[in-house]
Amino acid sequence: MDYRNRIIELRKEYNLSQAQLADKLNMSQSAIAKWETRRTEPTATAIIALSKFFNKSTDYILGLEDEWGNKTY
């Protein structure tokens, strides 16, 4: 799983629209949409913000580990 799928999965798990997530992260809805369609990649700052908001590790957000902390590569 990659960052795109993780963001979509977590956003839906929290029942948030792209606009609602963007508002909570103080970002634009278009930024979220671009990540979810792989038109751009989130910056390190954005990944950290997602990690803090969802209370997940940055490696989890990036798809480098599963929910138990096991490496997926």
Side-chain angles (χ1 to χ4, degrees), residues 1-3 6 9-10 13 51 54-73:
M1 188 173 290
D2 65 0
Y3 72 87
R6 291 281 196 219
E9 173 187 87
L10 289 166
E13 184 178 313
S51 173
F54 290 120
N55 196 30
K56 301 288 184 183
S57 72
T58 55
D59 278 355
Y60 182 82
I61 300 294
L62 292 170
L64 299 174
E65 69 182 24
D66 63 20
E67 59 193 83
W68 299 283
N70 299 312
K71 300 297 181 192
T72 60
Y73 53 93

Side-chain angles (χ1 to χ4, degrees), residues 25-66:
L25 299 177
N26 199 26
M27 298 178 185
S28 69
Q29 182 273 327
S30 65
I32 307 295
K34 287 177 184 177
W35 302 338
E36 290 187 2
T37 58
R38 287 194 190 103
R39 289 191 314 219
T40 62
E41 294 181 349
T43 63
T45 301
I47 293 166
I48 292 167
L50 287 162
S51 173
K52 288 179 178 179
F53 177 76
F54 290 120
N55 196 30
K56 301 288 184 183
S57 72
T58 55
D59 278 355
Y60 182 82
I61 300 294
L62 292 170
L64 299 174
E65 69 182 24
D66 63 20

Side-chain angles (χ1 to χ4, degrees), residues 11 14-25 29 53:
R11 181 175 60 75
Y14 280 65
N15 294 313
L16 297 170
S17 67
Q18 289 178 347
Q20 290 169 320
L21 178 58
D23 185 56
K24 294 190 180 298
L25 299 177
Q29 182 273 327
F53 177 76

